[in-house]
């Protein structure tokens, strides 16, 4: 049971990391968009 | 000299194929149950007919006497290649009987687009397609993204299954046993399903105000095609239908999860525990995931293509506000690079993008996600290895003769880029490029502008499924057949398809 709970927590952590990557990519996109709009 | 296949070869192939086909019947229970719930009797009859035919074929093939010898490498490849033809043929039955497809070929195209996780659609009036059939389209994509044969391997272990596993473009064994690896791949899907369907369902129910059952339907369908990077959507306007940033972000997380290799999922799920254990034992912590060649490649390509897409869009002036540019541009890039192929804008608007943004999206589709993921395309690992092989060659040419050039790369562990590996990686990459141009040439021959033809051809060959107008139900039959072939060959990454062709040639002319 304890092992399963630990596995579930690690899976959740994995999905949280994936979400963080997407958010980081979107923030990077936001910065690129700001620079692009400023340049044109 | 070519050897003609012996009766034992046919028995071995048929027997394994029967098991794979029975998986279709199991998965079709989901739309069948939904048809019962929604009282869609016509759709239900088509689905039940398909289940019956699948079970009948599986039962007949199961009666074949199974040879004692293990399934050989080439037999395994032939099983995979045949399964990826037979399953869409079966899957097309309820679609063909629905009157939402113009012909059997269109229904087969739809099922092939589904199973190969492409997402191109020839369905007429998708918004009025019975929900159960719509669910079946999405189930096909889910099954295809996970791997039809892999699904069978999860349930039926047996000898010689390694070739089946590799034939379906799963290059990486996470555990020593194929069955354990297959089960882990399903566990990743189930965990993402629980979280993804819950998140999408809650957004649909409380954010968009959908009815409870409608929320479940939309959450389930979008999850299946987002995580398995398919790109079918329950409505004709794809994810643009929801006008919801929260929905788009959730789908994006699922698309990214789908485009990550299952090996990376395993590393993400266990790295902390493993590091802690190694620290306790006094062993140096293992290298971080960011050292992986494939991770570095996809992050680099994503960063470069973000600049190209958003810079290009800003230059052409399609979106003049920050919100529109970021949201539309980033979502489309994610959808292309993960090979999901969703859109939040109409095809006509996508065509207007033009210039650098248009090229960046096409390149993103061609590159695709990671190897051994649910995504297709050339894949980041091949791109990374090709780049490494090229830079090694340049170094070799410009450095002194005595210079030692490291041919190692990091992919979970340190590995050597042997000339044989470099050659096979480059050959497959080149075949993909050829496949893209073959479809483009066919499109041009039928009067489409080169840009449109190449974009749609990449969409089919990379299994991304974005289209800007070439793929319509009134497309000429030869063009449909070419795109069908592109989807099929692209998903199987050539090898299994070539093995099937070789088997057929040996059958005809072998001695």
């Amino acid at each position: 049971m304890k092992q399963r709970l630990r596995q579930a927590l690690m899976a959740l952590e994995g999905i949280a990391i994936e979400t963080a990557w997407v958010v980081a990519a979107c923030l990077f996109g936001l910065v690129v968009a700001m620079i692009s709009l400023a340049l044109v | 000299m070519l050897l003609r296949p012996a009766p034992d070869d046919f028995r071995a192939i048929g027997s394994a194929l029967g098991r794979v086909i029975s998986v279709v019947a199991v998965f079709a229970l989901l739309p069948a149950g939904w048809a019962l719930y929604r009282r869609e009797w016509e759709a239900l009859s088509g689905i039940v007919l398909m289940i019956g035919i699948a079970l009948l074929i599986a039962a007949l093939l199961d009666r074949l006497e199974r040879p004692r010898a293990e399934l050989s490498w080439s037999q395994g490849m032939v099983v995979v290649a045949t399964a990826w033809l037979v399953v869409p043929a079966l899957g097309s039955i309820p679609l063909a009987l629905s009157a939402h497809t113009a012909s059997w070929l269109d229904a087969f195209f739809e099922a092939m687009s589904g199973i190969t996780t492409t997402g191109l659609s020839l369905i007429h009036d998708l918004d009025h397609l019975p929900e159960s059939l719509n669910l079946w389209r999405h189930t096909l994509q889910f099954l295809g993204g996970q791997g039809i044969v892999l699904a069978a391997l999860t349930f039926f272990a047996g000898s010689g299954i390694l070739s089946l596993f590799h034939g379906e473009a799963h290059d990486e064994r996470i555990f020593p046993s194929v069955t354990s690896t297959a089960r882990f791949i399903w566990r990743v899907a189930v965990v993402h399903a629980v979280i993804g369907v819950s998140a999408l369902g809650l957004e649909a129910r409380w954010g968009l105000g959908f009815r409870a059952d409608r929320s479940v339907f939309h959450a389930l369908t979008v999850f299946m095609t987002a995580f398995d990077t398919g790109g079918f959507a329950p409505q004709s306007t794809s994810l643009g239908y929801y006008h919801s940033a929260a929905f788009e972000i959730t789908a994006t997380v699922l698309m990214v999860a789908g485009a990550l290799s299952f090996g990376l999922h395993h590393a993400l799920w266990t790295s902390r525990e493993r590091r802690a254990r190694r620290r306790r034992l006094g062993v140096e912590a293992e290298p971080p995931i960011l050292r992986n060649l494939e991770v570095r490649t996809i992050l680099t390509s994503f960063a470069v293509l973000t600049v190209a897409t958003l810079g290009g869009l800003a230059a052409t002036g399609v979106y003049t506000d920050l919100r529109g540019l970021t949201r539309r541009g980033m979502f489309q890039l994610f959808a292309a690079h993960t090979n999901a192929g969703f859109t939040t804008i109409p095809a006509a608007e996508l065509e207007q993008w033009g210039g650098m943004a248009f090229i960046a999206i096409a390149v993103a589709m061609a590159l695709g996600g990671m190897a051994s993921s649910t995504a297709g395309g050339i894949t980041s690992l091949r791109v990374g290895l090709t780049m490494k092989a090229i830079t090694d060659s340049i170094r070799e040419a410009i450095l002194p003769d005595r210079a030692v050039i490291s041919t190692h790369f990091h992919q979970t562990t340190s590995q050597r880029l042997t000339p044989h590996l470099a050659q096979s990686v480059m050959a497959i990459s080149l075949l993909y490029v050829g496949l893209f141009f073959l479809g483009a040439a066919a499109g041009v021959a039928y009067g489409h502008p080169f840009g449109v033809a190449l974009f749609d051809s990449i969409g089919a060959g990379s299994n991304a499924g974005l289209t800007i107008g070439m793929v319509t139900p009134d497309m000429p039959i030869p063009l449909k057949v070419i795109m069908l072939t592109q989807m099929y060959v692209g998903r199987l990454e050539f090898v299994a398809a070539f093995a099937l062709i070789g088997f057929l040639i040996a059958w005809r002319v072998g001695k």
Side-chain angles (χ1 to χ4, degrees):
Chain A
M1 185 66 193
K2 208 173 167 184
Q3 175 73 9
R4 294 221 157 202
L5 195 66
R6 196 187 301 154
Q7 279 180 349
L9 277 173
M10 279 196 295
L12 278 176
E13 192 185 285
I15 293 172
I17 293 170
E18 286 158 11
T19 311
W21 281 3
V22 171
V23 172
C26 288
L27 288 175
F28 173 68
L30 189 68
V31 173
V32 172
M34 282 165 77
I35 295 169
S36 305
L37 284 175
L39 286 176
V40 292
Chain B
M1 186 181 73
L2 273 176
L3 288 178
R4 182 174 287 184
D8 262 4
D9 290 315
F10 288 101
R11 275 199 288 271
I13 291 165
S15 170
L17 193 61
R19 290 171 169 206
V20 178
I21 289 171
S22 62
V23 171
V24 177
V26 176
F27 277 81
L29 292 175
L30 180 67
W34 196 264
L36 266 174
Y37 169 68
R38 299 293 289 164
R39 294 164 188 260
E40 293 168 346
W41 306 122
E42 274 189 39
L44 179 65
S45 62
I47 295 168
V48 169
L49 179 67
M50 172 184 65
I51 293 174
I53 294 174
L55 287 177
L56 184 69
I57 296 173
L60 287 173
L61 290 174
D62 195 51
R63 290 179 70 86
L64 290 172
E65 193 187 332
R66 214 168 297 155
R68 282 194 189 151
E70 281 192 1
L71 207 58
S72 72
W73 188 263
S74 59
Q75 284 170 348
M77 292 287 167
V78 173
V79 171
V80 172
T82 315
W84 281 78
L85 287 172
V86 174
V87 171
L90 285 166
S92 67
I93 292 171
L95 298 169
L97 296 174
S98 73
H100 280 267
T101 48
S103 64
W104 279 90
L105 181 66
D106 284 14
F108 183 63
F109 185 99
E110 190 77 13
M112 183 62 91
S113 173
I115 207 83
T116 56
T117 71
T118 307
L120 295 169
S121 183
L122 295 184
I123 288 274
H124 279 293
D125 197 12
L126 176 63
D127 297 332
H128 295 103
L129 184 72
E131 281 185 2
S132 52
L133 291 183
N134 217 338
L135 187 59
W136 176 234
R137 292 168 71 234
H138 290 76
T139 310
L140 274 173
Q141 283 212 317
F142 183 63
L143 183 58
Q146 294 297 110
I148 318 165
V149 177
L150 186 113
L153 292 181
T154 317
F155 305 116
F156 314 106
S159 55
I161 57 178
L162 189 60
S163 59
L164 295 172
F165 185 72
H166 283 283
E168 213 173 38
H170 294 286
D171 303 324
E172 195 173 29
R173 260 189 302 165
I174 302 160
F175 298 102
S177 133
V178 169
T179 312
S180 305
T181 304
R183 286 190 179 146
F184 174 77
I185 289 173
W186 277 101
R187 204 158 71 224
V188 173
V190 169
V191 169
H192 281 85
V194 171
I195 293 172
V197 173
S198 307
L200 291 168
L202 288 172
E203 282 156 25
R205 182 80 183 93
W206 306 111
L208 304 174
F210 285 9
R211 266 192 345 252
D213 59 348
R214 201 156 166 253
S215 301
V216 172
F217 173 74
H218 281 266
L220 192 61
T221 48
V222 172
F223 161 75
M224 287 201 276
T225 47
F227 180 71
D228 278 83
T229 62
F232 273 163
Q235 305 288 149
S236 57
T237 43
S238 192
L239 292 203
Y241 174 75
Y242 304 103
H243 292 289
S244 161
F247 219 85
E248 287 165 28
I249 287 271
T250 312
T252 304
V253 173
L254 291 169
M255 290 191 288
V256 169
L260 299 182
S261 71
F262 286 102
L264 190 61
H265 277 289
H266 185 255
L268 278 178
W269 286 21
T270 57
S271 60
R272 198 181 57 162
E273 188 187 40
R274 237 186 290 162
R275 268 204 304 273
R277 200 183 303 145
R278 280 173 175 235
R279 224 174 288 132
R280 274 201 303 274
L281 293 170
V283 184
E284 200 183 323
E286 66 174 25
I289 289 162
L290 286 176
R291 271 190 67 189
N292 272 5
L293 174 75
E294 191 167 32
V295 176
R296 285 182 177 188
T297 308
I298 205 163
L299 288 177
T300 309
S301 63
F302 191 85
V304 171
L305 292 169
T306 300
V307 174
T309 306
L310 300 184
L313 279 177
T316 48
V318 180
Y319 305 107
T320 50
D321 63 313
L322 190 63
R323 200 176 146 208
L325 178 62
T326 314
R327 185 168 159 187
R328 303 274 185 260
M330 288 305 286
F331 183 82
Q332 215 49 72
L333 181 59
F334 268 119
H337 211 328
T338 60
N339 261 203
F342 286 126
T343 56
T344 51
I345 52 173
E349 192 175 323
L350 188 60
E351 198 184 349
Q352 276 174 19
W353 280 22
M356 207 155 59
F358 185 77
I359 294 169
I361 294 296
V363 171
M365 283 199 294
L367 298 183
M370 291 187 179
S372 295
S373 72
T374 69
I378 299 172
T379 70
S380 309
L381 186 58
R382 285 200 192 99
V383 175
L385 289 174
T386 304
M387 296 310 289
K388 177 153 177 57
I390 292 170
T391 49
D392 284 354
S393 302
I394 295 171
R395 270 188 204 154
E396 211 174 85
I398 59 173
L399 287 176
D401 289 349
R402 285 186 179 180
V404 179
I405 298 161
S406 165
T407 52
H408 284 79
F409 65 96
H410 189 87
Q411 182 67 20
T412 314
T413 56
S414 182
Q415 294 175 40
R416 202 174 147 244
L417 179 59
T418 58
H420 179 255
L421 177 63
Q423 198 181 11
S424 74
V425 161
M426 283 189 180
I428 298 280
S429 304
L430 201 64
L431 281 170
Y432 268 108
V433 175
L435 189 70
F436 300 149
F437 277 98
L438 169 78
V444 169
Y446 277 99
H448 293 282
F450 179 71
V452 174
L454 184 62
F455 190 93
D456 281 24
S457 169
I458 293 175
S462 70
N463 305 123
L466 281 172
T467 172
I468 48 171
M470 194 164 87
V471 181
T472 55
D474 52 6
M475 189 167 56
I477 289 173
L479 209 47
K480 284 179 187 171
V481 174
I482 288 172
M483 294 193 98
L484 263 167
T485 312
Q486 282 183 293
M487 293 191 277
Y488 171 73
V489 175
R491 176 63 178 86
L492 291 182
E493 300 187 347
F494 300 96
V495 181
F498 288 164
L500 178 62
I501 295 169
F503 182 83
L504 293 175
I505 291 172
W507 188 20
R508 296 303 303 161
V509 301
K511 288 175 182 162

